[in-house]
């Protein structure tokens, strides 16, 4: 039970960070960096309008997210899971600490890479694989589990609770970013770096 709670805390904290970074990306590069359905449509519109700079930015975000996911998959074949995730999140945290000095396109690439890597982590909670960077799937899962529970009883009400809380935590992360940004535009990225380093220690503690 204690380990299950730790895994839930770990995944929810990653949802918080994704919401935080996604609002950062929208404000800094005018594009979401945690999910790409809308960006795919925006790419078509940019190409159709001849906005090559906008199209290039979106392509950079696409490939950065894929690269982050691919690196996560590759490293998972080479290293023990806990050590891999702890070290990687610490490196990402350090990178975000200095990312304020990056030009916008590199900043966007860094955030997309981070969230791509994060979304590819093989996280399971009570036997269910969970993703932590966007909530479209969670909205679907929440609706499905609500409907399923009405049909067969409340066997999976824990899923309704988990998906609902994850959605709220994602929104909370975005709200916290906006509050910090309203205080100073220089604070959010270093704080994000500290958050990721802290998350690595949360993950490390759960496997002790």
């Amino acid at each position: 039970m204690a380990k299950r709670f730790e895994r839930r805390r770990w995944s929810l904290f990653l949802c918080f960070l994704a919401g935080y970074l996604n609002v950062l990306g929208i404000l800094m590069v005018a594009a979401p960096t945690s999910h790409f359905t809308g960006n795919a449509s925006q790419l078509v519109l940019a190409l159709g309008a001849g906005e090559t700079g906008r199209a290039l930015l979106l392509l950079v975000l696409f490939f950065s997210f894929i690269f982050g996911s691919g690196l996560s998959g590759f490293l998972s074949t080479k290293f023990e899971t806990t050590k891999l995730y702890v070290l990687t999140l610490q490196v990402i945290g350090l990178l975000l600490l200095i990312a304020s000095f990056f030009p916008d396109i590199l900043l966007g690439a860094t955030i997309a890479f981070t969230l791509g890597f994060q979304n590819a982590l093989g996280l399971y909670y009570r036997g269910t694989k969970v993703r932590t960077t966007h909530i479209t799937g969670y909205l679907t899962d929440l609706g499905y589990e609500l409907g399923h529970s009405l049909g067969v009883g409340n066997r999976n009400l824990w899923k309704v609770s988990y998906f609902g809380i994850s959605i709220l935590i994602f929104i909370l992360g975005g709200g916290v970013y906006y509050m910090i940004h309203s205080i100073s535009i220089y604070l959010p990225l270093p704080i994000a770096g500290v958050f990721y380093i802290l998350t690595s220690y949360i993950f490390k503690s759960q496997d002790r």
Side-chain angles (χ1 to χ4, degrees):
M1 182 65 71
K3 193 162 187 174
R4 180 182 293 174
F5 172 77
E6 291 288 350
R7 288 191 180 278
R8 182 176 65 179
R9 183 172 66 172
W10 152 251
S11 63
L12 291 177
F13 204 66
L14 286 177
C15 282
F16 172 87
L17 291 174
Y20 184 102
L21 285 183
N22 195 51
V23 172
L24 189 158
I26 291 172
L27 289 179
M28 293 296 184
V29 297
T33 51
S34 68
H35 54 284
F36 284 84
T37 304
N39 284 348
S41 299
Q42 288 292 332
L43 176 61
V44 173
L45 294 173
L47 290 172
E51 299 175 355
T52 54
R54 177 67 176 168
L56 176 61
L57 170 64
L58 291 169
L59 285 172
V60 168
L61 296 181
F62 266 98
F63 284 107
S64 298
F65 192 93
I66 293 171
F67 179 63
S69 300
L71 183 62
S72 179
F74 173 76
L75 293 178
S76 69
T77 68
K78 303 296 182 181
F79 299 97
E80 186 270 327
T81 301
T82 300
K83 183 177 181 181
L84 165 65
Y85 292 166
V86 168
L87 290 177
T88 303
L89 289 170
Q90 289 173 352
V91 170
I92 288 173
L94 292 173
L95 189 62
L96 291 173
L97 285 173
I98 62 171
S100 297
F101 302 101
F102 294 171
D104 285 351
I105 193 166
L106 182 56
L107 173 60
T110 300
I111 298 171
F113 166 83
T114 297
L115 294 176
F117 187 96
Q118 175 179 319
N119 202 47
L121 295 177
L123 298 178
Y124 287 85
Y125 176 63
R126 295 181 68 170
T128 299
K129 192 166 188 176
V130 296
R131 303 293 184 182
T132 59
T133 70
H134 54 275
I135 62 173
T136 303
Y138 280 173
L139 289 170
T140 302
D141 293 335
L142 177 63
Y144 175 84
E145 294 299 341
L146 281 170
H148 191 263
S149 296
L150 289 173
V152 300
N154 60 359
R155 288 181 301 173
N156 289 327
L157 280 182
W158 70 265
K159 291 185 178 181
V160 174
S161 172
Y162 177 79
F163 294 136
I165 291 172
S166 296
I167 292 166
L168 293 176
I169 290 292
F170 184 94
I171 295 170
L172 176 64
V176 169
Y177 169 82
Y178 194 82
M179 289 172 57
I180 295 172
H181 182 268
S182 67
I183 297 171
S184 171
I185 62 173
Y186 301 106
L187 286 176
L189 276 167
I191 289 176
V194 172
F195 280 163
Y196 269 91
I197 293 171
L198 176 61
T199 303
S200 74
Y201 286 103
I202 293 174
F203 184 67
K204 185 177 181 179
S205 69
Q206 79 172 27
D207 279 349
R208 286 178 179 173

